[in-house]
Amino acid sequence: MPILILGGGRRDGGGVTVSLPATARTRRGLTVGLQAWAATRREPVTVGLWATATTLVPDVEHLTGGPVLETDSSVTGLPGDMLSWSYTHGGQYEELSVVVMGQHGLALPTALVQARGIAVSADETGRPLGILPARVFQALGQEPEVDVGQDQTTFLFRNDRDQELRGIRLPELVPWKLNPTPEGTCTSRPRQRLRISPLVQAVMRDRVDPNFALTTDPLLHAEWVESERDFSTLNLTPQDLWDQTYGLLGMQLHLWPQGTGFKLVGRFTQPPVQGSPSAPLSGRWPLSRSERRERRQTPARLTVTGAPSVTPLDYQTLMALIGDDPARDEISRALGPGSEWFEESSADTGTTRRGYRKARGQLVDQVELTTGDVVAKETVDGKEVSVTFSGVVLSLSRTSTTYDPDCADRPQLQRTLSRTYAYTPFTKLDVVAVNGPGIFTTALGGDLASEEEALTTYTYSPQGWQTGKTTTTTRLGSLQQEGAEDEPDKRGKLLSKERLTDITAETWLPTGAGRWQHTVQRSVQSLVPVYDTESGEAVRTSTVTRPLPPVIETTDQAPPSYRCPDACLRDLSDPTGAVLVAGDAGFGEEQTVALPWASAGDLVPLGRRLMEDRWHREVRTLSLPYPLGVVPGAPLDGGWVREVSIQGSAAGVDTSVTVAAFDGLFPLPTIGQPYLLDPASGSSLMLAGRPGGARVRLVRGWEPEGQKPIVEDAFVAFRTGFPPTPGDEISWTLVQGRREAQSAR
């Protein structure tokens, strides 16, 4: 039924306050009309208007008895007479739109809006139903919209933190980006760690809002780890930092009223399922109510991936993965940081035994001994004398290398000694002892036929490349023998008398543009006879040193440089993940969410929280005849407020509230299923060589319940012929049902 409302003006100071109350009652005492308006005007006015109010209870019989609804609202600080206003709070922003009379295109006002609704009973006592606390809005650079034809201006205001959230660039706040930790040994490698929650909260409070708060903190124990879960804040905005941490879980930054202002709050758009929230809204007052169900946002499958599971791959770990392999001993010798062994091979010329010793992954000592049978023949006094020597030493060589203690790959000094032995029918054998490495034995040797020792030293630049290499070689120049002119069987052993020294020096010098000057300088010694000037006979020999002209070339081939590795071969990094299946409740497409900072143990709880955020919702939209200043996320009517919209004009105040509640018709998945990788391509750890390929550790996925990778022992074929070694990472692709290697590192 139409209701006639008459309002009178009352002068108050310099303006006139116009009050337009309107009431209507039902037999249940429900107020069905709402008209209350307060505006400041410059001149006294008299206002009359018609208004029609509709209720869900149609039997309106009288206007007396029961409570009466009164609403009032005001927006001040504007340059003209206000016609209407609209307030919306969707969580991250508070927005106000005000329409005023006149054209005010250059005005930048500051508006203050407030509204309330009161239920007044017959005894004149008022019960507050709803209130929009005083909100202050500043026009920060937002230009008003001027409608010339209607002679009115619309001012748009927004309360937000965009300038602080998106207008600030952060410096580097991750400590290891500024001061990296020196690499230690494989078993004691230090890792700097940085907890995510304290850093994000500190950035928000120091650079955005000192009152920033989190309603819940799912990243309380999450952290970034140097070299494992890396991160950098350089040139990120605070909003970027939020989006890459809490934002990945669906949390948003909301404005939460605080006095006449607001504070920034980090919260879930739909709080975790914790039973039904309180319902303070009275069922008597809503003018309308609509309901719907949201189901399409629930994915059929939700895959959550986290930070890789990192294991330092040292020698012991690799050998445990290799297990009982036919090539185990060979691999152990090649990759072991410290070991000692020997090998033996036989041929027609004799038996060769080789001994090796490794330290810090490098061969530091090796020896090679060759023995065999020798038939020595010589003609004496016209008769041939033949003697057979069995199992005597033919040659012996030994090489020892010293490496830089700060760089296990870089040699500093190398010494090589080589000897060969000769035999005649009259040679007297002596014992030759070999004291390792790998070989501890004695054998009989004859006359020393030759002996050569090479000593090589290396020098390096501070940048790591080799600057010089000097090799000094000392060789046998002449021999001496006791009783050399006696009968063969009376002669002594051959002994060294004179030695000759050759020196070869190589240097590298950068000349720019990737080119190098390589210089080789040599000096050699030789024995020359010294003749007697009177007799003209050679009386002795003398050593002469001759320097050879240097060889200088310019080349683009750089000198050797070394990577100086630690004891680890590399880190073994296994992808982690979990899959939550919605079953019959999943109406949406499959989704994948990457949480690069999440540990493997947190994937299922975080995945369940992500599924909760996407789960079915019962959504209700309530229309109220009074202002309700609740904020998104507040509990109301058995759910959680999603959005609030308030419209005000001379006709009154209308409020629309959207409330969402968790729909528990289908149960949430609580157990994460295994996460499986793409079977068509990937990368795997090589364990051992095989004819035409390699045996690899193939990771097929991750088992979230058992907290371990799903591993298969597989074969990868080599088509290109590159020679990776155990411990390398091989990239492969499935070709016609067979895994073929593409590259290795």
Side-chain angles (χ1 to χ4, degrees), residues 77-99:
L78 301 172
D81 297 331
M82 183 186 60
L83 300 176
S84 65
W85 60 275
S86 173
Y87 167 86
T88 303
H89 192 179
Q92 189 148 4
Y93 310 108
E94 281 186 318
E95 296 180 317
L96 176 67
S97 174
V98 186
V99 180

Side-chain angles (χ1 to χ4, degrees), residues 171-390:
E172 186 58 76
L173 301 175
V174 178
W176 58 83
K177 293 294 184 179
L178 302 173
N179 297 293
T181 302
E183 293 288 352
T185 63
C186 185
T187 56
S188 63
R189 176 178 296 171
R191 307 273 193 194
Q192 294 188 63
R193 298 175 180 267
L194 178 63
R195 292 177 57 199
I196 296 176
S197 177
L199 175 66
V200 175
Q201 294 193 59
V203 168
M204 292 297 175
R205 288 171 183 157
D206 295 343
R207 292 173 166 84
V208 181
D209 184 357
N211 297 313
F212 172 79
L214 291 170
T215 58
T216 184
D217 193 351
L219 303 186
L220 186 61
H221 303 293
E223 59 185 5
W224 291 300
V225 183
E226 183 180 15
S227 301
E228 292 182 9
R229 310 173 201 172
D230 211 354
F231 191 73
S232 173
T233 62
L234 184 63
N235 287 330
L236 294 182
T237 65
Q239 183 70 55
D240 293 335
L241 179 62
W242 177 267
D243 292 342
Q244 296 182 37
T245 52
Y246 291 92
L248 294 177
L249 298 177
M251 295 184 69
Q252 293 183 1
L253 295 170
H254 282 188
L255 292 179
W256 202 271
Q258 184 173 357
T260 59
F262 56 87
K263 67 178 180 180
L264 197 63
V265 174
R267 56 176 303 277
F268 285 105
T269 55
Q270 294 294 323
V273 180
Q274 296 175 350
S276 298
S278 59
L281 185 64
S282 172
R284 299 177 52 178
W285 296 103
L287 296 179
S288 65
R289 178 191 185 101
S290 64
E291 296 185 356
R292 70 179 189 275
R293 291 180 183 270
E294 292 180 345
R295 292 181 174 176
R296 295 295 301 177
Q297 78 274 13
T298 304
R301 290 165 56 93
L302 177 65
T303 300
V304 184
T305 61
S309 175
V310 177
T311 303
L313 185 61
D314 56 8
Y315 168 73
Q316 289 78 11
T317 303
L318 178 61
M319 295 309 297
L321 294 175
I322 292 173
D324 188 14
D325 191 276
R328 180 181 177 87
D329 291 342
E330 178 185 350
I331 297 172
S332 176
R333 294 167 186 170
L335 301 180
S339 58
E340 189 170 333
W341 73 98
F342 81 96
E343 299 173 349
E344 183 175 308
S345 60
S346 298
D348 293 340
T349 56
T351 300
T352 300
R353 285 176 285 181
R354 300 178 181 89
Y356 305 91
R357 180 167 64 243
K358 290 184 67 175
R360 298 175 62 204
Q362 300 295 335
L363 278 172
V364 296
D365 201 2
Q366 52 188 316
V367 64
E368 181 176 305
L369 174 66
T370 301
T371 59
D373 297 337
V374 177
V375 178
K377 297 180 179 181
E378 186 175 338
T379 300
V380 179
D381 296 333
K383 295 181 180 180
E384 185 179 83
V385 180
S386 177
V387 177
T388 300
F389 298 93
S390 300

Side-chain angles (χ1 to χ4, degrees), residues 37 70-76 82 85-90 93-98 111-118 128-137 159 255-262 624-632 641 643-649 652-657:
W37 179 247
E70 294 183 356
T71 62
D72 64 80
S73 63
S74 67
V75 181
T76 59
M82 183 186 60
W85 60 275
S86 173
Y87 167 86
T88 303
H89 192 179
Y93 310 108
E94 281 186 318
E95 296 180 317
L96 176 67
S97 174
V98 186
L112 173 67
V113 59
Q114 52 189 343
R116 64 174 182 157
I118 301 176
L129 290 177
I131 184 172
L132 175 64
R135 316 298 297 126
V136 177
F137 291 85
N159 276 343
L255 292 179
W256 202 271
Q258 184 173 357
T260 59
F262 56 87
L624 305 174
Y626 55 85
L628 190 63
V630 293
V631 295
V641 175
E643 184 181 73
V644 180
S645 177
I646 305 175
Q647 310 291 328
S649 68
V653 178
D654 291 320
T655 300
S656 175
V657 182

Side-chain angles (χ1 to χ4, degrees), residues 598-613:
S599 61
D602 294 334
L603 290 180
V604 173
L606 292 176
R608 189 176 189 276
R609 181 63 195 91
L610 288 167
M611 187 66 88
E612 283 182 11
D613 198 53

Side-chain angles (χ1 to χ4, degrees), residues 267 269-272 275-281 289 617-620 622 630-643 657-663:
R267 56 176 303 277
T269 55
Q270 294 294 323
S276 298
S278 59
L281 185 64
R289 178 191 185 101
R617 291 289 188 271
E618 298 178 3
V619 181
R620 294 183 292 276
L622 309 174
V630 293
V631 295
L636 182 68
D637 196 36
W640 306 93
V641 175
R642 181 178 288 180
E643 184 181 73
V657 182
T658 302
V659 178
F662 184 83
D663 186 352

